[in-house]
Amino acid sequence: MKPGGGPARTGGMTTSGPERTVNMPRVNLPSPNRRVWLGVLAALLVAWVLSQGVRVIPAGFVGVVFSSFSGVKPDVLQEGIHFVVPFVDHVNLYDARLQEVTLAHDSPNANDAEGAIRARSKEGLDITADVTVQFRIDRAKAAILHKELGRNYVQTVIRPQVRSKVRDAIGQFSAADIISTQRQAVEASITTSLRDVFSRNNLVLDSVLLRELRIPDSIAKAIEQKQAAEQQVAVERNRLQQSSISAQRAVVEAQGAAKAAVEQAKGEAQALSLRGKALRENPQLIQLTVAEKLAPTIQTVMLPSGGNFLLDLKSLGSAGTAATTTAAPATDKTAP
């Protein structure tokens, strides 16, 4: 310490009593260019803002643009890259691929509201139906769908309408027809009514599939017995028809044979008449006929020169032989 009690300084360090204060040397760094930094920041900000205006619509989807100033825009964004106004336009994606809704007793989370459809047939019998509906949204009208229904259109339109139309269609048919011959007719009725409802709500119905129709077991047995009895009656009716057809065939065949016999008799009579007429006009035909009947046991020659008679060649042959035998000895006597 210096005289006078002041602190002592040693080089660049100052000490005072028990505490020591150290003064480090200062280093002067060159100051950065503020304009460069501001330019970089501005470029990054612009790039970020522009990136907020780029929207990519995935395959199978459509985009509906909602503007904070004008509301829902009518133009629908299709698949690909699109540019919108950042922080003003908001893009809502809608799945435009084929979708399905299933109402069945074995579907996940099935309950009274979401499970199979319970309906009544024409005669008032309980019928439970498992139905699957396949559909898609109308791409061109996705903006109207977003404005009128929103994303919850399955719950607000599809499920309640499917239940209602299935019940209406089943009520038009009897239980026996529904589970046997009219299943396709029920599907067609449901499809026709749902297609109109879907079209009004900017949806496209693809198909309606009746997966299963169930009725009480007792009623099913009664229907089966009734159908079996009807089939037996049909078999007997077919047998009677076949017997009737066989009898009719026999009658037709007998009538044909009788007509053939009559025609044959008429032909024979006409032939006899013509033959008699020919014999009357040509008497020589009688001898020709007799000769044909006698041949070949009797040899005859017909000589029509003066009259009508038959000459027995065998008798002439026998007479000629006898004459030759008698004349032979006379000839021998006169021989020298």
Side-chain angles (χ1 to χ4, degrees), residues 205-321:
L205 179 65
D206 187 81
S207 62
V208 175
L209 307 176
L210 285 178
R211 299 174 52 189
E212 186 178 359
L213 294 171
R214 297 181 301 279
I215 61 177
D217 294 338
S218 58
I219 298 175
K221 289 182 178 180
I223 292 175
E224 290 177 357
Q225 293 175 356
K226 179 182 177 181
Q227 291 177 345
E230 291 177 351
Q231 291 177 357
Q232 185 65 29
V233 171
V235 170
E236 296 297 332
R237 186 181 294 111
N238 290 334
R239 290 177 179 175
L240 291 175
Q241 291 178 353
Q242 291 177 359
S243 301
S244 177
I245 292 173
S246 299
Q248 292 177 2
R249 184 184 298 110
V251 171
V252 172
E253 291 177 355
Q255 291 176 351
K259 290 181 180 180
V262 171
E263 294 299 328
Q264 183 177 1
K266 288 181 179 179
E268 292 177 354
Q270 186 176 4
L272 290 174
S273 176
L274 294 175
R275 189 176 182 83
K277 183 178 180 181
L279 292 174
R280 288 193 301 272
E281 294 178 354
N282 301 288
Q284 294 84 357
L285 292 176
I286 298 175
Q287 297 177 359
L288 177 60
T289 303
V290 174
E292 290 175 351
K293 295 296 182 181
L294 294 175
T297 59
I298 300 176
Q299 296 181 358
T300 59
V301 176
M302 184 172 64
L303 301 173
S305 59
N308 296 330
F309 60 90
L310 297 175
L311 180 61
D312 191 349
L313 296 180
K314 288 185 177 181
S315 61
L316 290 177
S318 299
T321 304

Side-chain angles (χ1 to χ4, degrees), residues 39-40 118 212:
V40 171
R118 298 185 61 183
E212 186 178 359

Side-chain angles (χ1 to χ4, degrees), residues 64-78:
V64 178
V65 180
F66 174 78
S67 175
S68 300
F69 297 141
S70 60
V72 178
K73 293 185 177 181
D75 296 333
V76 179
L77 304 181
Q78 302 298 329

Side-chain angles (χ1 to χ4, degrees), residues 79-135:
E79 303 167 359
I81 299 177
H82 299 272
F83 295 94
V84 297
V85 179
F87 308 107
V88 176
D89 293 342
H90 304 276
V91 179
N92 299 275
L93 295 178
Y94 279 86
D95 191 351
R97 297 170 296 185
L98 183 66
Q99 305 178 61
E100 69 176 32
V101 171
T102 298
L103 302 177
H105 69 286
D106 57 352
S107 61
N109 300 324
N111 49 52
D112 293 339
E114 302 297 335
I117 302 173
R118 298 185 61 183
R120 291 187 178 272
S121 64
K122 188 176 182 180
E123 63 268 43
L125 298 177
D126 289 333
I127 296 179
T128 305
D130 293 347
V131 181
T132 296
V133 177
Q134 295 178 332
F135 68 96

Side-chain angles (χ1 to χ4, degrees), residues 10-33:
T10 305
M13 302 179 60
T14 303
T15 59
S16 141
E19 296 181 359
R20 295 180 180 180
T21 302
V22 180
N23 294 327
M24 299 297 294
R26 294 180 179 181
V27 179
N28 296 325
L29 297 176
S31 61
N33 192 339

Side-chain angles (χ1 to χ4, degrees), residues 33-46:
N33 192 339
R34 294 185 178 181
R35 293 181 179 180
V36 173
W37 285 108
L38 290 177
V40 171
L41 292 176
L44 292 176
L45 180 61
V46 170

